[in-house]
Amino acid sequence: MSSIVVFGAGGTAGSRVTAEAVDRGHRVIAAVRRPEATSYLPAGVRTITGDATSERSVRELAPEADALVVAIGGGERGLWRDAAENLVTTLRSMPAAPRIIHLGGGSTLLTPRGTRILDEPDFPEQYRDAALGQADALDYYRTAADGVSWTYVSPPPLEFHPGDRTGHYRTGTDEPVTDDQGRSVLTYEDLAVAIVDEIEQPRYVNARFTAAY
């Protein structure tokens, strides 16, 4: 059994990761901004006020954790890099620091030409700031996260939605995983499976991975 802190456990992705981890018998701490609004989380989850961009929050929670899952959203572009930088710099100064599992953006994945999906001319403008923010976080992990253990997880860039948990998925690294029809599809529930699998059996340490059917 692992001890897992989920920042953003009240959100669509974070709540699925929380439920999946609890179902497998892990001890989960839900770190959210409004604990009173998370009554739907599974029984046995310890819910506290916490913020991935707060050094105090990370310093208080890290000693209890084997992994810190970052599933935050809804902020301005700098949110995700701020969280990454705070986690890395805080954990770097601590002995036996937990691993970071950062749920990032699918638009940071690469096209067959080697360019980022978010840089395509037809990329929706309303999503650009969030996509760039997640790209900033990935760049930070790759260039400045020495001394800590991290994994950046990208869902499919387009067809990613709540649905059924099948327990099945395939993984890749920097390009979307596609099926025979060229589609990259996954539910939030099966991304949660992939994330908890990665916590239990690390395969992508200090690297990015993506998953789809």
Side-chain angles (χ1 to χ4, degrees):
M1 180 180 72
S2 295
S3 180
I4 302 169
V5 173
V6 181
F7 288 103
T12 305
S15 62
R16 267 74 171 180
V17 174
T18 298
E20 179 70 24
V22 169
D23 284 348
R24 298 200 204 181
H26 296 295
R27 176 174 174 263
V28 180
I29 299 173
V32 297
R33 293 184 177 180
R34 296 177 58 230
E36 70 278 6
T38 56
S39 59
Y40 53 86
L41 292 177
V45 173
R46 177 184 163 201
T47 305
I48 67 168
T49 302
D51 182 352
T53 65
S54 163
E55 178 183 352
R56 178 178 178 181
S57 285
V58 174
R59 197 167 290 282
E60 289 177 350
L61 291 168
E64 302 184 55
D66 299 299
L68 302 178
V69 177
V70 182
I72 59 176
E76 297 180 353
R77 172 175 174 174
L79 172 68
W80 295 277
R81 189 189 185 283
D82 288 348
E85 184 172 0
N86 178 60
L87 286 159
V88 168
T89 56
T90 304
L91 295 180
R92 190 182 281 141
S93 67
M94 302 178 68
R99 182 179 173 198
I100 303 166
I101 308 291
H102 185 115
L103 176 55
S107 59
T108 61
L109 294 167
L110 303 181
T111 71
R113 300 186 305 280
T115 58
R116 300 181 304 183
I117 291 169
L118 67 90
D119 294 323
E120 291 294 284
D122 59 349
F123 187 81
E125 193 62 34
Q126 65 266 35
Y127 302 127
R128 190 171 301 280
D129 275 357
L132 289 168
Q134 288 285 20
D136 293 341
L138 177 58
D139 289 343
Y140 180 82
Y141 285 118
R142 284 176 163 170
T143 60
D146 54 297
V148 301
S149 178
W150 60 272
T151 298
Y152 186 101
V153 186
S154 286
L158 293 175
E159 298 189 70
F160 178 49
H161 47 73
D164 294 331
R165 180 196 186 280
T166 71
H168 300 291
Y169 61 88
R170 295 176 295 131
T171 61
T173 53
D174 288 329
E175 296 182 358
V177 174
T178 57
D179 61 18
D180 292 341
Q181 288 74 48
R183 297 175 64 198
S184 183
V185 184
L186 194 68
T187 63
Y188 278 89
E189 286 74 9
D190 280 329
L191 185 69
V193 173
I195 288 172
V196 179
D197 282 350
E198 180 64 23
I199 292 171
E200 292 180 345
Q201 297 181 337
R203 296 172 57 201
Y204 297 97
V205 179
N206 296 345
R208 184 251 291 275
F209 81 90
T210 185
Y213 298 124

